[in-house]
Amino acid sequence: MKIAIGADHAGYRLKDDIVPMLRQLGHEIIDVGCSCADSVDYPDYAVPVCQMVAGGEAERGILICGTGIGMSIAANKTPGIRCALVHDLFSAKATREHNDTNVLAMGERVIGPGLAEEIVKVWIETPFSQGERHQNRINKVMALEDRQALHP
């Protein structure tokens, strides 16, 4: 799977821990940065990751900042993106099964690398359930997005 990943200054260390694990699992990684502790703005990294996912250049995206909150807010402004902020294994699985999320957000200041790697692995490996009730709900969310595009 091709996965785009980005982080700001508060999440780059966790990103740098996750990338080798993903490559070891056989995934192709597009790393959009950042790679330093110098203060940067999280939307500058969320936007390119989400554009790659929405445009089909990457199948999934992972975003990391201090809490994951800013990244998830920025990500969900991109049409076609369903980003979930996840800090536990149950949510990682549920958000794929029920919401067919295509972007995962996490916070480096909230969880450590061990748990983050487990979350990513579960999120990557869990398929969408294809359940009719879940698809109907996703369709309603996507319709909201379509209406917003017509009437900003």
Side-chain angles (χ1 to χ4, degrees):
M1 180 181 310
K2 190 181 277 190
I3 301 166
I5 189 167
D8 70 1
H9 60 281
Y12 83 94
R13 288 174 296 274
L14 189 57
K15 174 184 66 76
D16 290 348
D17 286 335
I18 290 168
V19 166
M21 184 263 312
L22 287 169
R23 285 190 173 126
Q24 195 170 33
L25 292 172
H27 301 290
E28 182 180 342
I29 305 303
I30 305 168
D31 187 342
V32 303
C34 93
S35 297
C36 67
D38 298 336
S39 184
V40 297
D41 297 330
Y42 58 82
D44 296 340
Y45 299 92
V47 169
V49 166
C50 292
Q51 287 175 336
M52 286 180 208
V53 173
E57 209 176 318
E59 294 169 71
R60 303 253 188 98
I62 298 173
L63 298 169
I64 306 165
C65 63
T67 62
I69 297 168
M71 286 289 202
S72 66
I73 292 170
N76 283 312
K77 299 295 182 186
T78 303
I81 295 302
R82 289 177 308 283
C83 177
L85 173 57
V86 174
H87 292 132
D88 64 86
L89 297 174
F90 175 80
S91 298
K93 184 174 176 151
T95 193
R96 284 289 310 132
E97 287 180 340
H98 298 187
N99 310 113
D100 196 20
T101 54
N102 51 12
V103 177
L104 171 69
M106 296 183 294
E108 181 177 312
R109 294 177 179 157
V110 179
I111 57 174
L115 179 55
E117 288 180 9
E118 289 181 57
I119 288 168
V120 168
K121 193 169 190 291
V122 166
W123 184 75
I124 291 292
E125 294 175 354
T126 301
F128 176 50
S129 71
Q130 304 292 326
E132 185 177 344
R133 67 187 171 128
H134 299 301
Q135 187 60 59
N136 288 339
R137 292 168 186 159
I138 292 169
N139 292 345
K140 286 183 179 186
V141 170
M142 301 312 285
L144 290 171
E145 186 176 281
D146 291 342
R147 281 197 298 275
Q148 289 298 319
L150 295 173
H151 307 287

